[in-house]
Amino acid sequence: MTDTPIRWGILGTGGIARVFTEDLLRLPDHEVVAVGSRAAHTAEAFATRHGIPRAHGSHADLAADDQVDVVYVATPHNGHYPAALTCLEGGRAVLVEKPFTTGAADAERLIAVARERGLFAMEAMWTRFNPLITRLRTLVSEGAIGEITSIYADFSFASAFDPAHRLWAPELAGGALLDLGIYPVSFAWMLLGPPGTVQATAASAPTGVDSNTGVLLGYDSGAVALLHCGLMSDSPHTATVTGTKGRIEVAAPFFRPTAMTLHRRDAEPETFTAELDGHGYTYQAAEVARCLRAGELESPVMPLAETLAIIGTLDTIAARLDQATAGRTSA
């Protein structure tokens, strides 16, 4: 594999599958060789649109394609676990769109299967591989802003209510937390690790999913993370990391930034910029390729243990939201 292109299969034919495929086609050492969908005509249309040689009318058929090195799982959230499990059991490495699964128990099972079979697996948290996020982590680790005291991050947009849409439908694992909240939660975790305390509150949509959610994470160091996600309004989509010696402001959208500014005490601000390659997904694809060629079963940038722990935190937040909703109902 060290001298040959990485051969990708795409599982799913929606918007995220389209943009990721477009980015893969920009990379000279990657090939998209197959696509799979639950319907043959959908897979065939996607294959024709992107010049993909093989189209499979089921997830199992894609997983059985021995010309595929790794499958990008791009189904709706509730389909991540069964689709990724099918691929792993078929002998395929997987890059699973975030969230890796909708709950920690399923994530633990997927990780166990990947390890049992000696297969690479990673959550597609593309933010981790963004050039400026890599620079931010370096600045923080070098003490550019001292000890972190707080993190602020938000991701909310106005979405028209449609009970059948995946964002609003509980049977499709809808709601702001899983779709959008994972970004600020993962961002905070990346810099501060596991929280000691978790508090959360939310407004609920008529379908019962969370539609406007606030999260407060507390850490043993005394730091706090104030995070927001929602489906009811357009927020700034920025993030700020504040420390004892300064702060770093990450410009919108913080999950794929092209600019950020370092403010040090008694110093002029420093702005860092980056021109992203394609849509910004090429960096995580390059990391998958690096790991496969090196024989690594997970990425040190987005390790499986951290993916599992973050999903566990999302589970805890969801439980806090359930408790808050029950409390309001009984009051």
Side-chain angles (χ1 to χ4, degrees):
M1 190 177 291
T2 56
D3 300 322
T4 59
I6 300 300
R7 302 170 300 178
W8 287 85
I10 307 298
L11 198 159
T13 58
I16 190 65
R18 174 185 59 79
V19 296
F20 185 71
T21 298
E22 289 173 355
D23 270 13
L24 284 177
L25 295 174
R26 297 175 60 88
L27 300 171
D29 56 345
H30 297 247
E31 294 178 353
V32 184
V33 299
V35 59
S37 178
R38 288 174 296 181
H41 72 276
T42 304
E44 289 163 3
F46 191 94
T48 299
R49 188 178 309 120
H50 298 285
I52 301 171
R54 294 190 300 285
H56 297 290
S58 74
H59 296 176
D61 286 348
L62 177 61
D65 189 334
D66 61 8
Q67 297 304 302
V68 171
D69 298 317
V70 56
V71 173
Y72 172 60
V73 176
T75 64
H77 300 335
N78 64 315
H80 289 181
Y81 172 73
L85 183 62
T86 296
C87 291
L88 290 169
E89 291 180 338
R92 305 299 137 221
V94 291
L95 173 67
V96 185
E97 192 44 63
K98 57 80 199 162
F100 194 65
T101 61
T102 59
D106 285 346
E108 191 169 17
R109 171 61 177 157
L110 280 187
I111 291 169
V113 172
R115 288 173 173 164
E116 288 167 5
R117 294 174 177 263
L119 293 167
F120 174 86
M122 188 178 89
E123 181 181 31
M125 180 49 72
W126 59 320
T127 301
R128 292 289 180 100
F129 307 94
N130 177 280
L132 287 183
I133 296 301
T134 299
R135 185 67 176 273
L136 179 147
R137 296 183 76 173
T138 299
L139 288 169
V140 169
S141 66
E142 291 176 347
I145 60 170
E147 297 297 320
I148 295 176
T149 58
S150 62
I151 292 176
Y152 308 85
D154 75 89
F155 188 6
S156 172
F157 60 78
S159 174
F161 178 71
D162 177 358
H165 191 278
R166 68 172 186 84
L167 287 174
W168 300 97
E171 66 273 15
L172 297 177
L177 180 63
L178 282 180
D179 198 72
L180 308 179
I182 188 171
Y183 282 107
V185 170
S186 184
F187 183 85
W189 189 286
M190 173 183 73
L191 296 170
L192 287 172
T197 61
V198 177
Q199 300 178 57
T201 188
S204 297
T207 52
V209 302
D210 68 298
S211 58
N212 191 39
T213 302
V215 176
L216 173 62
L217 305 179
Y219 299 85
D220 293 344
S221 66
V224 295
L226 285 75
L227 314 173
H228 168 239
C229 59
L231 303 172
M232 299 173 64
S233 59
D234 297 315
S235 65
H237 297 180
T238 58
T240 301
V241 184
T242 303
T244 54
K245 297 180 180 179
R247 69 183 186 278
I248 299 173
E249 297 175 347
V250 185
F254 81 88
F255 48 85
R256 60 176 300 273
T258 56
M260 69 179 184
T261 302
L262 168 63
H263 299 266
R264 301 181 200 246
R265 189 178 301 159
D266 302 323
E268 290 297 313
E270 299 176 60
T271 296
F272 305 88
T273 61
E275 184 175 341
L276 298 185
D277 183 22
H279 300 285
Y281 293 92
T282 55
Y283 307 104
Q284 69 176 1
E287 173 66 0
V288 172
R290 186 198 66 77
C291 290
L292 290 176
R293 291 185 170 120
E296 297 177 16
L297 301 185
E298 59 184 290
S299 167
V301 182
M302 189 68 253
L304 292 171
E306 192 165 338
T307 284
L308 177 60
I310 290 170
I311 294 174
T313 297
L314 293 177
D315 283 352
T316 300
I317 294 169
R320 298 289 186 271
L321 297 181
D322 289 342
Q323 292 168 2
T325 300
R328 287 195 294 268
T329 302
S330 62

